[in-house]
Amino acid sequence: MKKSSDLFAAAILSIFLVASSFGQPSTVSKSASKFAKKNSVTTKANEVVTIERIEKDFSEALTLIQDNHYSGKRLEYNDLFKASIVSMLHTLDPHSSYFDSKEFEEFRSNQNSRYYGIGATINDLRDPSGKVIATFIKATFKGAPANRAGLRYGDKIVEVNGKPMLGKPYPVVRDELRGPRGTVAKLVVERYGTGKRENIEIIRDAVSTPSISDAYMFRPGIGYISMTGGFNRTTYDEFRRAMRKLKARGMQHVILDLRENGGGLVNQAYYVANTFLESGQTIFTQKGRQRRSARSFAADNPNPDNTPIVVMVNGSTASASEIVAGALQDHDRALIVGENTFGKGLVQNPYMLKYGSMLLLTIAKYETPSGRLIQRDYSDGNLYNYYTNGGTLDEKNKPKKRKGAEKLTDSGRVVYSGGGIAPDIYAKMPTISNQRYRIREKLSDPIFSFALNVAFRKVKGLERLTVDRAIVFDYDLKNNDFAIDESVYKAFKEYVIKNYKISAAKIDREKEFVKRSLRGELVTAAYGSQTAFRVHREYDSQLKRATVAMPEARRLFMQRQKSAKNRRNEQD
């Protein structure tokens, strides 16, 4: 036991030193070398800590665990190894982290806007007692292996690689469908319309997960870009294509939706912000210890786009997406609508380690053009508090008064540092009670079941809503496509009362939810899951508020243009 403990302690120590020397400037590597030579550091309390002491303490602790902990003989050394490193990093800041080789591969796949699998969304269907009947295909993605193999909405997954899947919830089926690129998934599916079973072989391959899930004309003259997939290697290229497409369709104003966008590659955020800012305008300033990490990043666009912008944000808008929102707000280039952003103002850099692992280390903090540091508080070093106590609402559910340093936008509007970016127009997403949430949960299976029957011509009188065909991608959804009128709602209510024993009163209370969800299901079957989100956006109160705010965004833009013209005239 003692030998393995010593080896483990040595491994922990070596990772600390390796992390300081791989992929960093020579100054950092030299510091690591000096530490290795001196074999000691002095703490603030003038206590000398040597490498030998660290090895000894760690080895003794691990030996005690091995000898006395009830699961000591079944230790997972990799888990202990990771936990030690991650705990060390989280004493520094909340966003430095360590990835083992498997996690690092997933990290790289996410940054490349893709993953490996069959490329389909699935969902299970439960009977009135709550027992899983089966898991079904809901949609495939354009060009993905599942789409090429002919899988369609309503296909019941009977077997995967010889394993029976009937009665299995979708997470179990999902895990069986996943696998490395180039491997084969052998499926037995039952077509919902005919009941016929088919054997289908799918070779797992790369599946695109774009940063921009959709871009379309939300209202006449108003384009909408859903940039909720993070900032990855393809983000700016996707953004340029989306802008070109919408302008060709008559876009005069644009809504850029950054809600749920947790950030990603800073250079991609720079390029997006650079689209709308003039050469020389600061996009963000990065401040760190390393020479290359301390600098300002200014726009270099001699012909910026002049489309008036509303940027939508919420509590999950973080990091790189806050760079975009902050830059456009500080330069009065966009109106920010929604809820306070998360408040992540730290920049990480990846450092490759041995055996394919990686250290993601915070190397700098960034400020918006006005000088705002938007990082939320982590002074107590408590991760739970960091992620849960950063809210910006008071007890009366109203925005809290900001306590950070006061800054000014280009036109003199007041903005504040600390705790994220406050929107110019606050719009909270409405919530529902727990009781209504439970009712909606109970209705989800009846909605899916009824939609399947409607899509495959099994409900008399609703044949006009049949979708017994493959998905048509890139469809421009019309208001009357799969409209759920009173005849459809009445048929649904009768179906649920008869088969699921849910009262008419409960169904009627959620009438809007039912009609929206039924239409979403049928649009999913016909045009795919991304197009189906357009149905739900019609009920999005924050998006409606952003649309109403567009004239104000235009006034802000015109005022900015006038001020810029006056400055140029004064210089002349």
Side-chain angles (χ1 to χ4, degrees):
M1 287 293 185
K2 183 66 169 65
K3 184 176 181 181
S4 62
S5 301
D6 291 342
L7 289 173
F8 188 67
I12 287 289
L13 182 62
S14 68
I15 201 74
F16 296 166
L17 299 181
V18 171
S20 299
S21 58
F22 272 70
Q24 295 197 34
S26 58
T27 54
V28 179
S29 298
K30 289 177 181 177
S31 297
S33 299
K34 289 178 181 178
F35 176 72
K37 289 178 181 178
K38 288 176 63 178
N39 286 347
S40 67
V41 293
T42 303
T43 67
K44 292 181 179 179
N46 292 323
E47 182 182 16
V48 177
V49 179
T50 64
I51 290 178
E52 289 77 13
R53 176 178 168 180
I54 296 173
E55 288 180 332
K56 181 181 178 182
D57 288 350
F58 200 96
S59 177
E60 287 180 358
L62 188 59
T63 298
L64 285 170
I65 293 171
Q66 291 171 322
D67 292 344
N68 299 289
H69 195 270
Y70 75 93
S71 62
K73 293 184 178 180
R74 299 188 303 275
L75 285 176
E76 289 289 342
Y77 284 93
N78 188 56
D79 292 342
L80 292 175
F81 183 60
K82 286 171 56 179
S84 300
I85 299 172
V86 171
S87 295
M88 173 189 69
L89 293 172
H90 284 167
T91 64
L92 304 174
D93 71 85
H95 296 291
S96 291
S97 193
Y98 168 77
F99 295 75
D100 62 26
S101 57
K102 182 179 179 181
E103 291 168 336
F104 179 51
E105 282 302 313
E106 293 176 357
F107 177 83
R108 291 205 303 180
S109 294
N110 290 337
Q111 287 200 326
N112 288 325
S113 300
R114 67 186 182 189
Y115 71 94
Y116 298 113
I118 69 168
T121 57
I122 61 176
N123 195 31
D124 53 42
L125 177 63
R126 300 171 186 269
D127 65 19
S129 69
K131 183 180 178 181
V132 173
I133 300 170
T135 292
F136 294 79
I137 298 292
K138 292 199 71 172
T140 60
F141 302 131
K142 184 178 181 180
N147 177 248
R148 297 196 300 267
L151 292 183
R152 291 160 54 181
Y153 180 84
D155 285 344
K156 182 190 296 184
I157 302 173
V158 179
E159 291 182 9
V160 178
N161 291 331
K163 296 181 181 179
M165 292 291 117
L166 295 180
K168 301 291 177 64
Y170 87 89
V172 174
V173 181
R174 176 198 60 201
D175 291 344
E176 293 296 332
L177 292 173
R178 288 177 172 176
R181 185 179 193 178
T183 57
V184 177
K186 297 180 180 180
L187 277 65
V188 176
V189 300
E190 182 178 301
R191 303 292 188 182
Y192 195 86
T194 64
K196 180 182 177 182
R197 292 190 175 185
E198 297 182 17
N199 295 305
I200 298 177
E201 288 193 4
I202 303 176
I203 299 176
R204 299 179 179 97
D205 203 350
V207 179
S208 174
T209 55
S211 298
I212 296 176
S213 59
D214 202 2
Y216 63 102
M217 297 301 295
F218 182 68
R219 294 289 184 269
I222 300 178
Y224 169 84
I225 299 177
S226 177
M227 190 180 285
T228 57
F231 285 86
N232 305 316
R233 297 186 190 281
T234 62
T235 299
Y236 179 57
D237 288 338
E238 293 176 39
F239 179 71
R240 286 194 302 172
R241 289 195 298 269
M243 289 290 289
R244 282 199 300 266
K245 181 181 79 171
L246 294 178
K247 285 189 173 184
R249 296 183 180 181
M251 180 180 72
Q252 298 174 344
H253 308 80
V254 63
I255 296 173
L256 182 59
D257 192 348
L258 293 178
R259 293 176 298 176
E260 307 302 319
N261 188 319
L265 299 177
V266 173
N267 67 330
Q268 297 293 303
Y270 167 87
Y271 293 137
V272 171
N274 186 64
T275 302
F276 302 104
L277 298 177
E278 298 175 358
S279 293
Q281 288 187 307
T282 300
I283 293 177
F284 70 100
T285 299
Q286 186 171 291
K287 296 183 177 181
R289 290 172 57 198
Q290 299 177 23
R291 188 182 310 164
R292 290 180 297 176
S293 67
R295 56 175 293 196
S296 290
F297 295 84
D300 62 356
N301 188 354
N303 298 299
D305 188 285
N306 289 328
T307 308
I309 316 163
V310 168
V311 175
M312 298 184 66
V313 297
N314 67 5
S316 296
T317 302
S319 194
S321 55
E322 289 176 296
I323 287 177
V324 174
L328 297 181
Q329 185 182 50
D330 282 2
H331 290 303
D332 300 302
R333 185 58 189 86
L335 198 68
I336 312 298
V337 174
E339 300 169 83
N340 206 91
T341 64
F342 179 83
K344 179 182 179 292
L346 302 177
V347 180
Q348 286 73 47
N349 194 61
Y351 294 97
M352 290 303 302
L353 308 176
K354 290 182 178 179
Y355 312 114
S357 58
M358 183 265 285
L359 193 72
L360 193 65
L361 188 67
T362 296
I363 61 167
K365 61 183 180 180
Y366 73 80
E367 294 179 352
T368 68
S370 66
R372 286 185 288 171
L373 175 64
I374 56 93
Q375 175 63 32
R376 67 164 59 183
D377 183 47
Y378 186 62
S379 57
D380 65 357
N382 187 307
L383 275 177
Y384 178 81
N385 289 341
Y386 178 74
Y387 283 105
T388 60
N389 291 348
T392 56
L393 300 180
D394 61 19
E395 294 178 355
K396 296 181 180 179
N397 214 30
K398 295 181 179 179
K400 293 178 181 177
K401 185 176 180 180
R402 300 300 293 268
K403 298 179 180 179
E406 183 178 300
K407 303 292 181 179
L408 298 176
T409 69
D410 290 355
S411 67
R413 295 186 300 150
V414 177
V415 289
Y416 294 92
S417 298
I421 292 171
D424 300 309
I425 297 176
Y426 180 75
K428 187 178 185 298
M429 184 64 80
T431 58
I432 60 173
S433 66
N434 289 333
Q435 182 183 19
R436 291 190 66 186
Y437 177 78
R438 286 192 292 269
I439 293 173
R440 291 186 178 188
E441 272 196 318
K442 288 183 179 180
L443 287 169
S444 61
D445 285 302
I447 288 169
F448 185 24
S449 178
F450 184 75
L452 283 168
N453 289 332
V454 171
F456 291 95
R457 204 183 292 267
K458 295 186 178 184
V459 180
K460 188 176 180 180
L462 301 183
E463 291 81 6
R464 67 185 184 279
L465 299 176
T466 299
V467 197
D468 191 3
R469 57 170 172 76
I471 289 175
V472 176
F473 293 102
D474 302 321
Y475 178 76
D476 190 11
L477 190 67
K478 310 296 189 303
N479 289 333
N480 59 350
D481 288 328
F482 298 101
I484 306 300
D485 58 21
E486 286 303 311
S487 66
V488 181
Y489 178 72
K490 180 181 178 182
F492 170 79
K493 190 159 68 169
E494 291 173 352
Y495 176 82
V496 176
I497 292 171
K498 178 182 178 181
N499 295 285
Y500 287 85
K501 312 304 180 188
I502 299 176
S503 70
K506 288 182 178 179
I507 300 170
D508 285 338
R509 188 179 181 187
E510 298 299 336
K511 184 175 182 178
E512 182 185 274
F513 169 76
V514 167
K515 295 179 76 170
R516 177 175 80 226
S517 300
L518 280 175
R519 186 177 183 226
E521 281 291 333
L522 295 173
V523 171
T524 297
Y527 307 120
S529 55
Q530 294 305 326
T531 301
F533 282 123
R534 298 185 186 184
V535 174
H536 300 286
R537 290 191 192 107
E538 290 297 324
Y539 299 84
D540 186 336
S541 62
Q542 289 180 321
L543 182 52
K544 290 179 180 178
R545 185 66 185 89
T547 305
V548 171
M550 195 56 76
E552 188 173 344
R554 183 170 184 82
R555 285 194 296 271
L556 181 68
F557 171 72
M558 297 303 294
Q559 180 183 348
R560 176 185 175 279
Q561 292 292 87
K562 183 178 180 180
S563 298
K565 183 178 180 180
N566 290 338
R567 285 195 300 270
R568 286 193 295 268
N569 290 337
E570 290 174 0
Q571 292 173 357
D572 292 340

